[in-house]
Amino acid sequence: GWEIICVMDGHGPAGHNVSHRSVQVLPYYLHNSEFFPDEMEKALEDAFQITQQDLLGHGIQEGYDVQASGTTAIVFLRNGADCYTAHTGDSRFVLGHEGDRTLQFETMDHKPNTEAEKVRIEANGGEVREFRYDDEYGGEELVVHRVFIKGCDYPGLCMGRSLGDECVKAHGVTCIPEVNHITLDLAKKPFLFAASDGVWEFIPSEW
């Protein structure tokens, strides 16, 4: 059968609520999708979109904010050598081989300044702004790109895709994941690693 691993990293005032709810319900909606398991890409997209709607209702029911709070999401599915990843945001999944110690695959961070993300955001009335900060430890200048509703000073989101963050869903920040299909070479002893940007800010995927 299929194994599933999820990594969520919440942000905003109620990010912990959003990430906790998402990691509970997304696997359920995936398993119960009419497309699972024969059309896995559709099943994953379906599960992410239903999870987004679930968050809106659950937030109202439980009294937490889903407008300016959200979460990244990584979902990894495996059945033998057959694997899928689906992700939104800047948490990352990497695949390597113990045998030759090489990076075989990594998901792309959905930063707002990457071309595809920026085009979609700006086409829908969002705005990507650049901020520069001095490194307090004397390192290189830190450059951060954030998403705002055009003409407004909020929300300042650091990613182009997420679950939650309903205030920018009409402005190009989508909950639809990027899906990848991978076939593992089990003879090369693959290893898998998924983590939030709190890890990848300090080490490269090749590490």
Side-chain angles (χ1 to χ4, degrees):
W2 288 93
E3 301 172 321
I4 182 169
I5 297 171
C6 298
V7 173
M8 313 283 183
D9 180 24
H11 52 260
H16 57 294
N17 297 103
V18 177
S19 59
H20 186 249
R21 179 65 177 177
S22 297
V23 82
Q24 287 182 318
V25 302
L26 199 154
Y28 171 82
Y29 292 132
L30 175 62
H31 184 263
N32 287 280
S33 170
E34 63 180 301
F35 304 110
F36 182 87
D38 297 327
E39 298 178 83
M40 195 65 82
E41 183 169 350
K42 287 184 179 180
L44 286 160
E45 291 180 359
D46 190 44
F48 271 71
Q49 291 182 82
I50 296 174
T51 298
Q52 178 68 23
Q53 296 305 309
D54 178 286
L55 288 168
L56 298 179
H58 194 255
I60 293 171
Q61 179 182 329
E62 298 297 323
Y64 62 87
D65 169 54
V66 186
Q67 294 296 318
S69 299
T71 185
T72 68
I74 296 177
V75 175
F76 172 74
L77 287 162
R78 175 177 177 262
N79 186 1
D82 196 23
C83 302
Y84 287 86
T85 66
H87 76 291
T88 57
D90 56 5
S91 293
R92 190 184 310 165
F93 169 87
V94 300
L95 164 66
H97 288 159
E98 287 187 31
D100 52 18
R101 296 175 180 264
T102 57
L103 175 68
Q104 297 300 310
F105 170 81
E106 63 178 331
T107 54
M108 182 191 75
D109 296 349
H110 293 136
K111 298 294 189 184
N113 60 313
T114 56
E115 188 62 24
E117 303 301 309
K118 186 175 181 181
V119 167
R120 188 187 63 254
I121 291 165
E122 293 181 343
N124 285 279
E127 188 173 26
V128 179
R129 302 177 194 168
E130 180 180 283
F131 296 84
R132 295 179 176 272
Y133 305 95
D134 291 331
D135 188 324
E136 61 181 301
Y137 299 106
E140 295 181 0
E141 182 181 48
L142 180 64
V143 180
V144 177
H145 294 85
R146 297 181 181 272
V147 180
F148 294 84
I149 296 173
K150 196 168 186 178
C152 300
D153 61 356
Y154 63 88
L157 188 64
C158 290
M159 62 198 70
R161 305 190 195 199
S162 69
L163 291 170
D165 299 308
E166 183 64 19
C167 73
V168 282
K169 284 298 180 279
H171 301 276
V173 176
T174 183
C175 68
I176 297 174
E178 180 178 342
V179 179
N180 294 280
H181 187 199
I182 307 165
T183 301
L184 298 179
D185 185 346
L186 300 177
K188 292 187 176 180
K189 298 182 180 179
F191 66 89
L192 320 168
F193 188 52
S196 72
D197 67 325
V199 170
W200 304 117
E201 284 178 357
F202 297 100
I203 62 172
S205 298
E206 293 79 6
W207 182 84

